[in-house]
Amino acid sequence: MKFKISRANDSKFDAGLRGFFQYRDLGIEEATGGEFGANIIRAVPGEHAKGDWHYHVLDFQMVIVLKGWVTFEYEGEGTFTFKKGDSVYQPPKIRHREIEHSDDLELVEVTKPSKFETIAI
């Protein structure tokens, strides 16, 4: 593992796992040799989730909302809307789906490992 700084002015958002989001890699994957990943994820205005059920094959996943709001449904847990400052830990393989989000949504996602499989249900 190595020391890593990610500066907002030196970074860019790219396409990623979901077409309705853009991703800013915070360099944690590189710093930890892939053991962890962290991204700032922001909504692409006018693009929205289809509400497809899925789960992720990983050891850890946490989301913290920085701006806007997002509504997720978790199998066996219910439907929750998260706003600025809210966070959620999603246990490994929990079945979930995004219901909707604001066009100004920004969140941080931390995962272990950085690369993981998503299984559509």
Side-chain angles (χ1 to χ4, degrees):
M1 296 201 188
K2 62 183 181 178
F3 184 76
K4 178 69 179 171
I5 295 173
S6 177
R7 302 254 189 221
N9 291 339
D10 299 331
S11 63
K12 62 180 179 161
F13 284 81
D14 296 309
L17 180 64
R18 308 258 184 258
F20 45 87
F21 288 145
Q22 294 177 321
Y23 297 75
R24 176 181 152 208
D25 180 3
L26 297 177
I28 305 304
E29 177 180 18
E30 177 189 354
T32 65
E35 190 172 345
F36 294 91
N39 290 281
I40 296 177
I41 301 172
R42 70 179 180 195
V44 174
E47 299 290 325
H48 295 280
K50 295 183 175 94
D52 297 330
W53 285 97
H54 64 281
Y55 67 90
H56 306 292
V57 181
L58 42 58
D59 298 321
F60 179 89
Q61 183 178 25
M62 179 180 165
V63 173
I64 304 166
V65 177
L66 302 176
K67 183 178 177 185
W69 57 267
V70 61
T71 301
F72 291 112
E73 182 176 6
Y74 297 95
E75 186 176 75
E77 300 294 336
T79 302
F80 304 91
T81 298
F82 300 100
K83 300 176 183 173
K84 180 180 177 178
D86 293 342
S87 67
V88 59
Y89 165 68
Q90 299 178 170
K93 296 186 180 177
I94 189 169
R95 294 171 183 231
H96 62 283
R97 65 185 181 142
E98 183 198 327
I99 304 296
E100 60 183 336
H101 64 262
S102 62
D103 278 345
D104 65 342
L105 175 67
E106 287 189 13
L107 56 84
V108 173
E109 179 184 59
V110 179
T111 63
K112 178 182 181 182
S114 61
K115 301 259 191 270
F116 55 87
E117 187 176 5
T118 297
I119 307 295
I121 303 172

